[in-house]
Amino acid sequence: MKRFLKDALVTIFLVALGAFFYLRLGYAPAAATDSPFPLEKQIASMALRAHISKEGLAKPDMPLTEGAMMEGAKVYREYCAVCHGIAGQPKSPTARGMYPPPPQLFQGKGVTDDPIGETYWKVANGVRLTGMPGYRGSLMDTQLWQVSMLLANANKLPPDVSAFLTNAAPPK
Ligand code: HEC
């Protein structure tokens, strides 16, 4: 037992030392253009999922209406499109330079298959070390839900809302 403990401590020490030199000697990725370190994506998404499910998912306290989605579209154009893009338009220079890359929420299925409470959580709280800001302190709670509703229904938006999103000038 004593021997086992000693071996375990030595192993932990060596792993910690290895990690220290990996970071200290500049081998770990630090630029947005570097490739991810081993298991980076898995570790980050496991932590995020566990954190969100520990808090539980909130539900919107407003009905899903075209007006609500239009308000969400205004928020989206103003604050989100620069990173998350608009249907049919190329990624903005800002989005192209980011790591992790901001998912293009109007391409493919976006977050249409995620529970709306999960999207709301991410918009409200942001995602640490990714560039995804938390908007709880700067937007009204109603706006957080409106933009979450927009994204949850990105594949079946009323024509006026789609037109509003795509006809305005491309994101800067
Ligand atoms: C400066 C760039 C930036 C801005 C502005 C931004 N985001 Fe993000 N967002 C990101 C990045 C990067 C991620 C990916 C985070 C990750 O890898 O976990 C992300 C992730 C998300 C996700 C999760 C997507 C998924 O697939 O799970 C949602 C939803 C989201 N953002 C919504 C928004 C909304 C709504 C706004 C505007 C109110 C916004 N974002 C503004 C960069 C941005």
Side-chain angles (χ1 to χ4, degrees):
M1 187 63 191
K2 249 198 183 150
R3 200 194 147 85
F4 169 77
L5 272 180
K6 199 177 124 218
D7 287 354
L9 284 178
V10 169
T11 309
I12 292 169
F13 176 74
L14 288 177
V15 169
L17 198 70
F20 174 78
F21 280 112
Y22 175 68
L23 296 171
R24 188 67 186 82
L25 298 178
Y27 289 112
T33 46
D34 289 342
S35 38
F37 72 79
L39 298 179
E40 179 174 333
K41 284 186 187 152
Q42 289 81 349
I43 293 172
S45 61
M46 186 172 77
L48 182 63
R49 245 180 284 128
H51 195 93
I52 295 177
S53 68
K54 201 166 135 206
E55 286 191 15
L57 295 182
K59 291 207 171 71
D61 56 6
M62 66 186 74
L64 175 66
T65 60
E66 178 166 344
M69 283 189 277
M70 191 57 113
E71 290 307 309
K74 290 180 192 161
V75 171
Y76 187 84
R77 282 224 54 96
E78 179 85 16
Y79 301 107
C80 325
V82 63
C83 286
H84 291 295
I86 299 283
Q89 287 178 14
K91 269 188 171 185
S92 74
T94 303
R96 261 181 271 148
M98 290 185 65
Y99 188 86
Q104 299 301 287
L105 298 176
F106 286 90
Q107 262 147 50
K109 56 186 168 49
V111 290
T112 53
D113 57 354
D114 286 350
I116 190 167
E118 182 179 325
T119 297
Y120 167 84
W121 190 97
K122 290 175 181 170
V123 182
N125 298 293
V127 185
R128 202 174 175 84
L129 297 180
T130 69
M132 169 61 196
Y135 288 92
R136 194 192 295 288
S138 41
L139 293 177
M140 289 183 303
D141 197 53
T142 317
Q143 292 176 302
L144 301 178
W145 279 117
Q146 287 163 338
V147 76
S148 304
M149 283 176 174
L150 174 86
L151 296 177
N153 294 283
N155 53 354
K156 44 178 186 298
L157 291 178
D160 283 355
V161 178
S162 284
F164 173 78
L165 279 172
T166 44
N167 291 344
K172 284 186 227 74

